[in-house]
């Protein structure tokens, strides 16, 4: 299956000039050319995977996420699959049970280790998936394993049980620390445990790329929400999707 990756790069600007119809956001392609939302929607509709790189605390990006989801659903219907960094793979069962109405909102929200801004920023996406019977994939590595990589090294993951390994990218994981995204972190680390720090970030990208790839279906579109760092410059998750 030929994967078409379209990473969304948004620039949210406030203009100093007075305009009769001020805009809340502007969209640019990878060449820095301004494009319309209609262009964004058209290209997204033709892709197999869309990586929506967000700024976690930016309300305009969250508004645009639900808008894009709704508009892509009108074109794809049940062929639209959602997924997000904000949900860890070992919570997939809870997420599935909630989407199917098996467990209550209270049970799901109290047990699923949700982000602090879940109710304002990610709940609308989950509720949209529930209302329209869409798949929603928890793609991120459980945070305890990313922490283990940081403190004890990537080799520690090999000691996990087979059941635990179901929640992470297949081992051994390929790393390319020369990618600009990771090389910058190595430089920032100054050589003091920097490899573990970078690999703790990369294992997240690898795991998200793995679970996205595993869910790809013919004529479907996987719309994935993640921090911009994880997909900037077609690296991170995008690199691992191509790798897998």
């Amino acid at each position: 299956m030929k994967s078409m990756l379209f990473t969304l790069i948004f620039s949210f600007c406030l203009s100093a000039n007075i305009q009769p119809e001020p805009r809340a956001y502007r969209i640019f392609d990878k060449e820095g050319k301004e494009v319309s939302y209609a262009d964004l929607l058209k290209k997204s509709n033709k892709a197999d995977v869309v990586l929506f790189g967000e700024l976690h605390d930016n309300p305009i990006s969250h508004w645009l996420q639900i808008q894009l989801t709704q508009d892509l659903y009108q074109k794809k219907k049940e062929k639209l699959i959602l997924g997000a960094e904000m949900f860890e793979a070992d919570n997939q069962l809870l997420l599935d049970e909630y989407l199917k109405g098996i467990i209550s909102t209270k049970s799901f929200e109290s047990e699923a280790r949700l982000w602090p801004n879940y109710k304002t920023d990610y709940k609308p996406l989950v509720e949209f998936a529930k209302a329209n019977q869409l798949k929603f994939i928890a793609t991120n590595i459980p945070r305890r394993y990313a922490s283990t990589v940081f403190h004890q090294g990537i080799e520690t993951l090999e000691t996990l049980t087979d059941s635990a390994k179901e929640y992470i990218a297949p081992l051994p994981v390929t790393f390319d620390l020369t990618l600009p995204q990771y090389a910058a972190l190595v430089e920032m680390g100054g050589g003091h445990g920097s490899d573990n720090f970078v690999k703790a970030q990369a294992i997240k990208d690898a795991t998200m790329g793995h679970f996205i790839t595993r869910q790809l279906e013919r004529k479907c579109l996987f719309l994935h929400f993640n921090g911009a760092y994880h997909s900037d410059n077609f690296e991170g998750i995008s690199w691992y999707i191509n790798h897998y």
Side-chain angles (χ1 to χ4, degrees):
M1 181 180 187
K2 182 179 179 181
S3 294
M4 299 172 61
L5 301 177
F6 185 69
T7 302
L8 310 185
I9 303 175
F10 296 95
S11 177
F12 304 99
C13 305
L14 293 177
S15 174
N17 299 321
I18 298 176
Q19 301 180 15
E21 295 183 6
R23 292 178 293 171
Y25 65 89
R26 298 170 67 186
I27 304 172
F28 298 85
D29 65 15
K30 65 179 181 179
E31 307 299 335
K33 177 184 176 182
E34 187 168 2
V35 297
S36 68
Y37 176 78
D39 291 330
L40 168 65
L41 182 60
K42 182 178 179 180
K43 290 184 178 181
S44 298
N45 186 46
K46 293 180 179 179
D48 294 327
V49 178
V50 173
L51 302 177
F52 193 119
E54 68 168 38
L55 303 177
H56 295 319
D57 59 354
N58 188 297
I60 300 300
S61 67
H62 294 300
W63 169 80
L64 196 55
Q65 284 175 339
I66 189 64
Q67 185 67 52
L68 184 62
T69 300
Q70 293 169 343
D71 290 341
L72 285 174
Y73 175 73
Q74 293 303 314
K75 296 178 178 295
K76 292 292 186 180
K77 298 300 182 182
E78 73 280 358
K79 295 294 186 179
L80 179 64
I81 302 170
L82 305 182
E85 169 196 3
M86 300 79 193
F87 299 92
E88 297 167 33
D90 59 340
N91 276 329
Q92 187 66 59
L93 179 60
L94 278 171
L95 186 54
D96 288 343
E97 289 175 342
Y98 178 66
L99 293 176
K100 294 177 181 177
I102 297 174
I103 62 174
S104 67
T105 300
K106 181 178 180 181
S107 294
F108 172 66
E109 294 184 358
S110 64
E111 297 181 41
R113 303 194 306 275
L114 300 173
W115 286 25
N117 60 330
Y118 168 76
K119 290 186 177 180
T120 56
D121 299 330
Y122 307 115
K123 185 171 183 175
L125 298 169
V126 172
E127 294 301 325
F128 185 85
K130 183 178 182 182
N132 293 284
Q133 299 181 314
L134 299 178
K135 287 184 179 180
F136 200 119
I137 309 302
T139 61
N140 208 356
I141 186 173
R143 64 194 72 177
R144 60 187 180 274
Y145 299 144
S147 178
T148 294
V149 172
F150 175 69
H151 290 290
Q152 302 181 47
I154 191 68
E155 298 78 11
T156 309
L157 296 182
E158 296 284 2
T159 67
L160 297 175
T161 65
D162 289 343
S163 295
K165 290 176 182 177
E166 289 293 318
Y167 303 128
I168 62 179
L171 300 175
V173 176
T174 298
F175 296 105
D176 183 355
L177 301 189
T178 67
L179 291 172
Q181 172 190 29
Y182 300 140
L185 290 181
V186 172
E187 185 176 349
M188 287 172 58
H192 301 289
S194 57
D195 276 7
N196 281 357
F197 174 62
V198 177
K199 289 180 178 179
Q201 295 300 310
I203 191 64
K204 297 178 182 179
D205 295 334
T207 299
M208 288 188 276
H210 164 65
F211 282 113
I212 291 171
T213 306
R214 199 168 77 170
Q215 289 292 328
L216 290 180
E217 299 178 17
R218 182 173 174 80
K219 296 184 179 181
C220 285
L221 167 60
F222 196 120
L223 176 56
H224 188 264
F225 307 103
N226 52 265
Y229 169 80
H230 293 288
S231 56
D232 276 350
N233 303 314
F234 300 91
E235 297 178 22
I237 301 170
S238 179
W239 188 90
Y240 278 103
I241 290 175
N242 284 314
H243 172 71
Y244 290 128

mmCIF file of all heavy atoms in Angstrom, residues 115-136:
data_model
loop_
_atom_site.group_PDB
_atom_site.id
_atom_site.type_symbol
_atom_site.label_atom_id
_atom_site.label_comp_id
_atom_site.label_asym_id
_atom_site.label_seq_id
_atom_site.Cartn_x
_atom_site.Cartn_y
_atom_site.Cartn_z
ATOM 1 N N TRP A 115 -4.977 13.436 29.692
ATOM 2 C CA TRP A 115 -4.227 14.681 29.851
ATOM 3 C C TRP A 115 -5.092 15.716 30.583
ATOM 4 O O TRP A 115 -6.336 15.671 30.509
ATOM 5 C CB TRP A 115 -3.826 15.218 28.480
ATOM 6 C CG TRP A 115 -2.714 14.451 27.838
ATOM 7 C CD1 TRP A 115 -2.367 13.144 28.064
ATOM 8 C CD2 TRP A 115 -1.782 14.952 26.876
ATOM 9 N NE1 TRP A 115 -1.299 12.798 27.283
ATOM 10 C CE2 TRP A 115 -0.911 13.887 26.548
ATOM 11 C CE3 TRP A 115 -1.609 16.185 26.246
ATOM 12 C CZ2 TRP A 115 0.117 14.030 25.625
ATOM 13 C CZ3 TRP A 115 -0.589 16.333 25.324
ATOM 14 C CH2 TRP A 115 0.274 15.266 25.020
ATOM 15 N N PRO A 116 -4.460 16.676 31.265
ATOM 16 C CA PRO A 116 -5.223 17.684 32.011
ATOM 17 C C PRO A 116 -6.207 18.472 31.148
ATOM 18 O O PRO A 116 -7.252 18.900 31.637
ATOM 19 C CB PRO A 116 -4.132 18.599 32.584
ATOM 20 C CG PRO A 116 -2.929 17.715 32.695
ATOM 21 C CD PRO A 116 -3.005 16.802 31.501
ATOM 22 N N ASN A 117 -5.865 18.675 29.864
ATOM 23 C CA ASN A 117 -6.752 19.442 28.983
ATOM 24 C C ASN A 117 -7.662 18.541 28.146
ATOM 25 O O ASN A 117 -8.176 18.969 27.110
ATOM 26 C CB ASN A 117 -5.938 20.360 28.062
ATOM 27 C CG ASN A 117 -4.972 19.579 27.168
ATOM 28 O OD1 ASN A 117 -4.490 18.509 27.534
ATOM 29 N ND2 ASN A 117 -4.677 20.116 25.994
ATOM 30 N N TYR A 118 -7.870 17.329 28.601
ATOM 31 C CA TYR A 118 -8.703 16.388 27.841
ATOM 32 C C TYR A 118 -10.108 16.934 27.601
ATOM 33 O O TYR A 118 -10.603 16.931 26.463
ATOM 34 C CB TYR A 118 -8.798 15.040 28.565
ATOM 35 C CG TYR A 118 -9.868 14.141 27.978
ATOM 36 C CD1 TYR A 118 -9.655 13.473 26.774
ATOM 37 C CD2 TYR A 118 -11.113 13.979 28.604
ATOM 38 C CE1 TYR A 118 -10.635 12.670 26.208
ATOM 39 C CE2 TYR A 118 -12.089 13.179 28.054
ATOM 40 C CZ TYR A 118 -11.850 12.525 26.860
ATOM 41 O OH TYR A 118 -12.836 11.747 26.296
ATOM 42 N N LYS A 119 -10.761 17.401 28.638
ATOM 43 C CA LYS A 119 -12.168 17.778 28.506
ATOM 44 C C LYS A 119 -12.381 18.940 27.538
ATOM 45 O O LYS A 119 -13.390 18.982 26.829
ATOM 46 C CB LYS A 119 -12.751 18.101 29.883
ATOM 47 C CG LYS A 119 -12.909 16.863 30.765
ATOM 48 C CD LYS A 119 -13.630 17.183 32.062
ATOM 49 C CE LYS A 119 -13.832 15.902 32.883
ATOM 50 N NZ LYS A 119 -14.550 16.173 34.165
ATOM 51 N N THR A 120 -11.444 19.865 27.491
ATOM 52 C CA THR A 120 -11.620 21.019 26.599
ATOM 53 C C THR A 120 -11.112 20.748 25.192
ATOM 54 O O THR A 120 -11.664 21.267 24.217
ATOM 55 C CB THR A 120 -10.889 22.254 27.156
ATOM 56 O OG1 THR A 120 -9.501 21.923 27.355
ATOM 57 C CG2 THR A 120 -11.500 22.702 28.461
ATOM 58 N N ASP A 121 -10.057 19.914 25.053
ATOM 59 C CA ASP A 121 -9.368 19.832 23.766
ATOM 60 C C ASP A 121 -9.468 18.486 23.042
ATOM 61 O O ASP A 121 -9.438 18.453 21.806
ATOM 62 C CB ASP A 121 -7.885 20.178 23.957
ATOM 63 C CG ASP A 121 -7.695 21.597 24.477
ATOM 64 O OD1 ASP A 121 -8.550 22.451 24.159
ATOM 65 O OD2 ASP A 121 -6.719 21.848 25.190
ATOM 66 N N TYR A 122 -9.562 17.378 23.773
ATOM 67 C CA TYR A 122 -9.560 16.070 23.110
ATOM 68 C C TYR A 122 -10.880 15.310 23.258
ATOM 69 O O TYR A 122 -11.205 14.459 22.433
ATOM 70 C CB TYR A 122 -8.394 15.214 23.639
ATOM 71 C CG TYR A 122 -7.088 15.948 23.523
ATOM 72 C CD1 TYR A 122 -6.370 16.324 24.655
ATOM 73 C CD2 TYR A 122 -6.583 16.320 22.274
ATOM 74 C CE1 TYR A 122 -5.191 17.036 24.547
ATOM 75 C CE2 TYR A 122 -5.402 17.036 22.158
ATOM 76 C CZ TYR A 122 -4.703 17.390 23.298
ATOM 77 O OH TYR A 122 -3.550 18.105 23.186
ATOM 78 N N LYS A 123 -11.632 15.658 24.277
ATOM 79 C CA LYS A 123 -12.941 15.013 24.447
ATOM 80 C C LYS A 123 -13.846 15.220 23.238
ATOM 81 O O LYS A 123 -14.546 14.277 22.827
ATOM 82 C CB LYS A 123 -13.616 15.512 25.725
ATOM 83 C CG LYS A 123 -14.937 14.792 26.023
ATOM 84 C CD LYS A 123 -15.465 15.162 27.401
ATOM 85 C CE LYS A 123 -16.741 14.383 27.697
ATOM 86 N NZ LYS A 123 -17.223 14.627 29.088
ATOM 87 N N PRO A 124 -13.874 16.432 22.623
ATOM 88 C CA PRO A 124 -14.727 16.589 21.435
ATOM 89 C C PRO A 124 -14.383 15.602 20.321
ATOM 90 O O PRO A 124 -15.280 15.137 19.600
ATOM 91 C CB PRO A 124 -14.450 18.037 21.000
ATOM 92 C CG PRO A 124 -14.071 18.735 22.264
ATOM 93 C CD PRO A 124 -13.277 17.723 23.027
ATOM 94 N N LEU A 125 -13.116 15.252 20.171
ATOM 95 C CA LEU A 125 -12.707 14.290 19.148
ATOM 96 C C LEU A 125 -13.180 12.884 19.508
ATOM 97 O O LEU A 125 -13.678 12.147 18.650
ATOM 98 C CB LEU A 125 -11.179 14.304 19.001
ATOM 99 C CG LEU A 125 -10.562 15.627 18.550
ATOM 100 C CD1 LEU A 125 -9.054 15.584 18.711
ATOM 101 C CD2 LEU A 125 -10.942 15.947 17.112
ATOM 102 N N VAL A 126 -13.029 12.510 20.774
ATOM 103 C CA VAL A 126 -13.471 11.193 21.223
ATOM 104 C C VAL A 126 -14.989 11.073 21.105
ATOM 105 O O VAL A 126 -15.515 10.054 20.633
ATOM 106 C CB VAL A 126 -13.021 10.933 22.676
ATOM 107 C CG1 VAL A 126 -13.637 9.647 23.216
ATOM 108 C CG2 VAL A 126 -11.494 10.848 22.753
ATOM 109 N N GLU A 127 -15.695 12.116 21.499
ATOM 110 C CA GLU A 127 -17.152 12.076 21.427
ATOM 111 C C GLU A 127 -17.634 12.032 19.976
ATOM 112 O O GLU A 127 -18.649 11.394 19.670
ATOM 113 C CB GLU A 127 -17.742 13.285 22.148
ATOM 114 C CG GLU A 127 -17.493 13.294 23.648
ATOM 115 C CD GLU A 127 -18.061 12.067 24.356
ATOM 116 O OE1 GLU A 127 -19.129 11.569 23.938
ATOM 117 O OE2 GLU A 127 -17.417 11.591 25.309
ATOM 118 N N PHE A 128 -16.914 12.691 19.079
ATOM 119 C CA PHE A 128 -17.274 12.620 17.659
ATOM 120 C C PHE A 128 -17.102 11.198 17.144
ATOM 121 O O PHE A 128 -17.955 10.675 16.416
ATOM 122 C CB PHE A 128 -16.421 13.586 16.841
ATOM 123 C CG PHE A 128 -16.819 13.663 15.395
ATOM 124 C CD1 PHE A 128 -17.834 14.515 14.982
ATOM 125 C CD2 PHE A 128 -16.203 12.864 14.436
ATOM 126 C CE1 PHE A 128 -18.230 14.574 13.651
ATOM 127 C CE2 PHE A 128 -16.584 12.919 13.101
ATOM 128 C CZ PHE A 128 -17.600 13.776 12.704
ATOM 129 N N ALA A 129 -16.004 10.565 17.532
ATOM 130 C CA ALA A 129 -15.781 9.175 17.132
ATOM 131 C C ALA A 129 -16.870 8.271 17.683
ATOM 132 O O ALA A 129 -17.381 7.376 16.983
ATOM 133 C CB ALA A 129 -14.407 8.704 17.613
ATOM 134 N N LYS A 130 -17.260 8.509 18.929
ATOM 135 C CA LYS A 130 -18.298 7.681 19.552
ATOM 136 C C LYS A 130 -19.641 7.866 18.845
ATOM 137 O O LYS A 130 -20.338 6.888 18.542
ATOM 138 C CB LYS A 130 -18.427 8.043 21.030
ATOM 139 C CG LYS A 130 -19.435 7.184 21.782
ATOM 140 C CD LYS A 130 -19.484 7.571 23.259
ATOM 141 C CE LYS A 130 -20.454 6.673 24.011
ATOM 142 N NZ LYS A 130 -20.564 7.065 25.446
ATOM 143 N N ALA A 131 -19.990 9.106 18.556
ATOM 144 C CA ALA A 131 -21.283 9.397 17.932
ATOM 145 C C ALA A 131 -21.376 8.826 16.526
ATOM 146 O O ALA A 131 -22.470 8.471 16.063
ATOM 147 C CB ALA A 131 -21.518 10.907 17.904
ATOM 148 N N ASN A 132 -20.229 8.713 15.857
ATOM 149 C CA ASN A 132 -20.237 8.268 14.462
ATOM 150 C C ASN A 132 -19.631 6.877 14.276
ATOM 151 O O ASN A 132 -19.375 6.462 13.149
ATOM 152 C CB ASN A 132 -19.492 9.290 13.601
ATOM 153 C CG ASN A 132 -20.217 10.619 13.531
ATOM 154 O OD1 ASN A 132 -21.213 10.757 12.823
ATOM 155 N ND2 ASN A 132 -19.742 11.601 14.283
ATOM 156 N N GLN A 133 -19.411 6.180 15.399
ATOM 157 C CA GLN A 133 -18.920 4.796 15.385
ATOM 158 C C GLN A 133 -17.613 4.662 14.601
ATOM 159 O O GLN A 133 -17.449 3.750 13.778
ATOM 160 C CB GLN A 133 -19.993 3.852 14.821
ATOM 161 C CG GLN A 133 -21.273 3.853 15.643
ATOM 162 C CD GLN A 133 -22.325 2.891 15.097
ATOM 163 O OE1 GLN A 133 -22.582 2.858 13.898
ATOM 164 N NE2 GLN A 133 -22.916 2.102 15.972
ATOM 165 N N LEU A 134 -16.685 5.566 14.884
ATOM 166 C CA LEU A 134 -15.369 5.529 14.247
ATOM 167 C C LEU A 134 -14.344 4.883 15.172
ATOM 168 O O LEU A 134 -14.450 4.963 16.398
ATOM 169 C CB LEU A 134 -14.900 6.950 13.918
ATOM 170 C CG LEU A 134 -15.762 7.770 12.952
ATOM 171 C CD1 LEU A 134 -15.168 9.162 12.788
ATOM 172 C CD2 LEU A 134 -15.899 7.075 11.611
ATOM 173 N N LYS A 135 -13.351 4.258 14.581
ATOM 174 C CA LYS A 135 -12.229 3.750 15.357
ATOM 175 C C LYS A 135 -11.417 4.926 15.894
ATOM 176 O O LYS A 135 -11.227 5.926 15.208
ATOM 177 C CB LYS A 135 -11.306 2.890 14.489
ATOM 178 C CG LYS A 135 -11.846 1.537 14.106
ATOM 179 C CD LYS A 135 -10.777 0.775 13.335
ATOM 180 C CE LYS A 135 -11.247 -0.609 12.934
ATOM 181 N NZ LYS A 135 -10.176 -1.342 12.187
ATOM 182 N N PHE A 136 -10.934 4.783 17.122
ATOM 183 C CA PHE A 136 -10.023 5.767 17.703
ATOM 184 C C PHE A 136 -8.887 4.969 18.338
ATOM 185 O O PHE A 136 -9.106 4.209 19.272
ATOM 186 C CB PHE A 136 -10.734 6.629 18.744
ATOM 187 C CG PHE A 136 -10.033 7.939 19.022
ATOM 188 C CD1 PHE A 136 -10.658 9.146 18.778
ATOM 189 C CD2 PHE A 136 -8.738 7.964 19.528
ATOM 190 C CE1 PHE A 136 -10.014 10.358 19.024
ATOM 191 C CE2 PHE A 136 -8.089 9.158 19.777
ATOM 192 C CZ PHE A 136 -8.721 10.361 19.522
#
